[in-house]
């Protein structure tokens, strides 16, 4: 249960981060480019937040899965190394 809560918290943080970054990038593109001609600033903001949410939902979730898998692999590797170290230490003591 604890690990699933950690993963859910990681997903929320990753989605929020990507959402904010992509929303800011979309707003910058609206200011610099001519993609948003004819829209008011309120409409531009709503469009940026909506599409930023889509991008954040997709890529934030993928980022969270990638980070969780890498963390799991590193923890598993560290446990194996620690077990080997402990086994070698106990075998040296018995000699």
């Amino acid at each position: 249960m604890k690990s699933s809560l950690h993963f859910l918290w990681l997903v929320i943080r990753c989605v929020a981060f990507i959402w904010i970054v992509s929303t800011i990038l979309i707003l910058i593109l609206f200011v610099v480019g001519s993609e948003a001609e004819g829209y008011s600033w309120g409409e531009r903001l709503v469009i940026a937040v909506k599409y930023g949410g889509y991008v954040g939902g997709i890529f934030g979730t993928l980022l969270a899965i990638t980070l969780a898998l890498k963390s799991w692999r590193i923890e598993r590797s560290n446990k194996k190394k620690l077990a080997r170290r402990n086994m070698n230490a106990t075998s040296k003591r018995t000699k």
Side-chain angles (χ1 to χ4, degrees):
M1 179 72 178
K2 188 175 180 181
S3 62
S4 61
L5 287 176
H6 284 290
F7 177 71
L8 184 62
W9 178 238
L10 178 65
V11 169
I12 291 170
R13 288 183 297 165
C14 289
V15 167
F17 174 73
I18 302 273
W19 184 16
I20 291 169
V21 169
S22 61
T23 300
I24 291 171
L25 288 175
I26 291 169
L27 285 173
I28 290 171
L29 288 174
F30 281 166
V31 170
V32 171
S34 61
E35 292 86 11
E37 287 182 9
Y39 290 116
S40 69
W41 278 103
E43 292 171 331
R44 290 178 188 187
L45 184 62
V46 168
I47 291 169
V49 167
K50 181 172 71 171
Y51 288 117
Y54 294 153
V55 171
I58 294 168
F59 292 108
T61 304
L62 291 174
L63 177 64
I65 291 170
T66 303
L67 290 175
L69 283 175
K70 286 188 180 215
S71 175
W72 175 73
R73 286 180 185 154
I74 289 170
E75 287 175 7
R76 187 180 65 169
S77 172
N78 287 343
K79 285 180 184 177
K80 286 181 181 179
K81 288 177 185 176
L82 187 61
R84 265 188 262 135
R85 230 181 252 152
N86 288 340
M87 186 178 65
N88 288 338
T90 57
S91 65
K92 287 180 182 178
R93 286 185 209 156
T94 57
K95 287 184 179 181

